[in-house]
Amino acid sequence: MKKIAIVEDEPLMRDELIHLLQKAGYHTFGIDCFHNITEQLIPLSPDLVILDLNLPEVSGFQICRNLKEKSPIPVLILTSRDQMRDELHALELGADEYLTKPCRKERLLARVSNILKRFEGRANLLEGNGFLLDRQTYTLYIHNNSVILPKNQGKLLEIFLSRRGEVVSKEDLCIALWGTAEFIDENALQVNLTRLKKTMANLSMKQQIIPLRGIGYRLEKKEEMT
């Protein structure tokens, strides 16, 4: 059963959406605490987030941005804001659909179904900046092409994408590659990192691996480099 999270601060609207979607066969739950919403959503791993824009503490725009930076979870904006600039801004931030209230239930259910179908089979895909990685085959989808990475390069890229911008220690990288951090020559790790960096550069990827002395490594957007 598909899981749908509803981020809506109006209790009556939230309850109505929960009832409608549950009746349609979805496992649905509402978010009623509006502090650190992204951190609440990601561990729940919903198949879809229905998100209002006018929320207390933080705007739906910021939540959409944060969620899309940290996960591939699809987002459907459902809001009373009917200005074109709001819709365009939401889509630029990565929203997958934009509907305005009031909305006929048939239209909402159709859009929900369409989004879920589009994302069917993407459970094995990790999303980076402008590319996707299949974590089963280590196939990299980028620039309308596919490239099968060598196994060790795929393992490294997988752990960086799974950590979503966090620092990954040398020990964790060794465990990802060899299942242990003991008795591993650090030169072997450096060789594998260098090969992955070269592959990423050759593919003109928008992210690169940055060493943090004494801590580990992190995958960062090139434009964020100083």
Side-chain angles (χ1 to χ4, degrees), residues 155-156 158-160 163 166-182 184 189 193 215-217:
K155 287 181 177 180
L156 289 173
E158 178 184 6
I159 191 171
F160 282 120
R163 297 296 177 87
E166 297 177 3
V167 177
V168 185
S169 68
K170 293 178 182 179
E171 291 76 15
D172 286 345
L173 291 173
C174 288
I175 291 171
L177 285 174
W178 299 292
T180 180
E182 297 182 12
I184 299 297
L189 174 60
L193 283 169
I215 303 176
Y217 297 84

Side-chain angles (χ1 to χ4, degrees), residues 5 7 41 46-53 60-61 63-69 71-78 90-91 93-99 111 115 118-119:
V7 184
L41 288 171
D47 296 289
L48 173 65
V49 173
I50 296 179
L51 175 65
D52 190 15
L53 291 179
F61 289 122
I63 295 168
C64 183
R65 181 198 298 273
N66 292 344
L67 194 59
K68 285 298 185 177
E69 285 179 348
S71 83
I73 299 170
V75 175
L76 186 156
I77 301 293
L78 182 62
L91 295 174
L93 294 175
D96 299 277
E97 273 286 5
Y98 191 102
L99 288 175
R111 298 295 176 87
I115 293 175
R118 290 207 309 265
F119 281 79

Side-chain angles (χ1 to χ4, degrees), residues 92-150:
E92 288 170 357
L93 294 175
D96 299 277
E97 273 286 5
Y98 191 102
L99 288 175
T100 55
K101 306 171 187 175
C103 175
R104 292 181 63 89
K105 64 180 183 179
E106 295 86 358
R107 176 173 294 169
L108 175 61
L109 291 174
R111 298 295 176 87
V112 167
S113 177
N114 286 342
I115 293 175
L116 292 173
K117 286 177 181 176
R118 290 207 309 265
F119 281 79
E120 195 76 45
R122 292 188 61 170
N124 292 321
L125 295 180
L126 291 172
E127 187 173 4
N129 188 353
F131 67 91
L132 295 170
L133 177 72
D134 187 322
R135 66 201 316 172
Q136 285 192 332
T137 64
Y138 296 129
T139 301
L140 186 67
Y141 299 95
I142 185 170
H143 307 319
N144 296 318
N145 290 307
S146 61
V147 178
I148 298 178
L149 297 178

Side-chain angles (χ1 to χ4, degrees), residues 69-70 159-168 207 212 217-221 224:
E69 285 179 348
K70 297 180 178 180
I159 191 171
F160 282 120
L161 292 174
S162 298
R163 297 296 177 87
R164 294 286 172 184
E166 297 177 3
V167 177
V168 185
Q207 291 173 290
L212 299 170
Y217 297 84
R218 182 166 59 204
L219 189 65
E220 293 185 357
K221 296 179 183 178
E224 292 179 350

